Amino acid sequence: MSRIGRVERTTKETKVLVEIGLDGTGVADISTGVGFYDHMLDQLAKHGLFDLTVHTEGDLHIDSHHTMEDTALALGAAFKEALGDKVGIRRFADAKVPLDEALAEVTVDVSGRPYLVHSEPENMAPVIGRDYDTTMTRHVFESFVAQARVALHVHVPYGRNAHHIVECQFKAFARALRFACERDPRVTGVPSTKGAL
């Protein structure tokens, strides 16, 4: 069975289409109007080996907040749909990814319980590129977690360059999510003593 999720979300602020295939090869078709965010979603596809389509039209004449938030909400919902009953998955995974001077450590539990722990160096540059507000990185993960219903811990113990600090988070997130979603041939049913996730 193919594990594909598709979500269309329309509000007065944004119109979002997300489709994700968990068993893909990293093919991405991303367009949100926020250049660096597109680059981060490309990282998610490439390093997670997810086939990912994201098309967002947002009120960028205000700022990038609604566009990024609503895209992340739709992405989380599509991910949850693609996971289906979670039978046979590994469930837990972690990844460490360096990017020059920065390091990201990400741990995920596909638990059915949304929870985010996030830390990164303070006093980063406030903007990357033209319109990526660096305070939005945490909010993107919060929005994803709320809809995907996963526990996600993201920690960047050090780094200087804001581009590197954010990018290594998305790369590590992609790797951890990929491994957590992978099927383990030794797992029978749902990987929980409760019998449900």
Side-chain angles (χ1 to χ4, degrees), residues 6-157:
R6 179 184 172 93
V7 169
E8 295 186 58
R9 187 178 193 275
T10 301
T11 70
K12 291 182 179 179
E13 298 165 341
T14 61
K15 181 179 180 182
V16 184
L17 164 66
V18 172
E19 183 170 296
I20 186 167
L22 301 185
D23 304 306
T25 59
V27 175
D29 177 12
I30 312 291
S31 176
T32 68
V34 182
F36 187 75
Y37 193 36
D38 289 357
H39 182 44
M40 294 303 95
L41 295 175
D42 276 336
Q43 301 301 321
L44 176 61
K46 182 70 172 179
H47 297 287
L49 291 180
F50 304 130
D51 290 341
L52 181 61
T53 299
V54 177
H55 295 160
T56 304
E57 298 172 17
D59 54 0
L60 294 176
H61 61 286
I62 295 175
D63 67 11
S64 61
H65 185 109
H66 299 144
T67 295
M68 293 176 66
E69 175 183 53
D70 289 1
T71 299
L73 289 168
L75 179 61
F79 175 81
K80 183 176 183 294
E81 180 183 303
L83 266 178
D85 59 14
K86 304 176 189 172
V87 167
I89 66 168
R90 297 184 189 279
R91 178 180 170 180
F92 302 101
D94 61 88
K96 289 185 179 182
V97 171
L99 183 52
D100 296 350
E101 87 297 341
L103 176 72
E105 303 166 334
V106 173
T107 306
V108 66
D109 175 10
V110 182
S111 61
R113 296 183 307 280
Y115 202 91
L116 175 69
V117 176
H118 182 268
S119 65
E120 61 186 6
E122 296 181 0
N123 303 315
M124 275 200 297
V127 179
I128 300 172
R130 291 185 297 110
D131 46 13
Y132 185 95
D133 175 355
T134 55
T135 66
M136 285 297 293
T137 303
R138 177 188 176 92
H139 191 49
V140 164
F141 289 132
E142 284 173 334
S143 301
F144 176 87
V145 161
Q147 294 298 312
R149 302 191 65 79
V150 302
L152 178 66
H153 293 233
V154 180
H155 178 53
V156 182

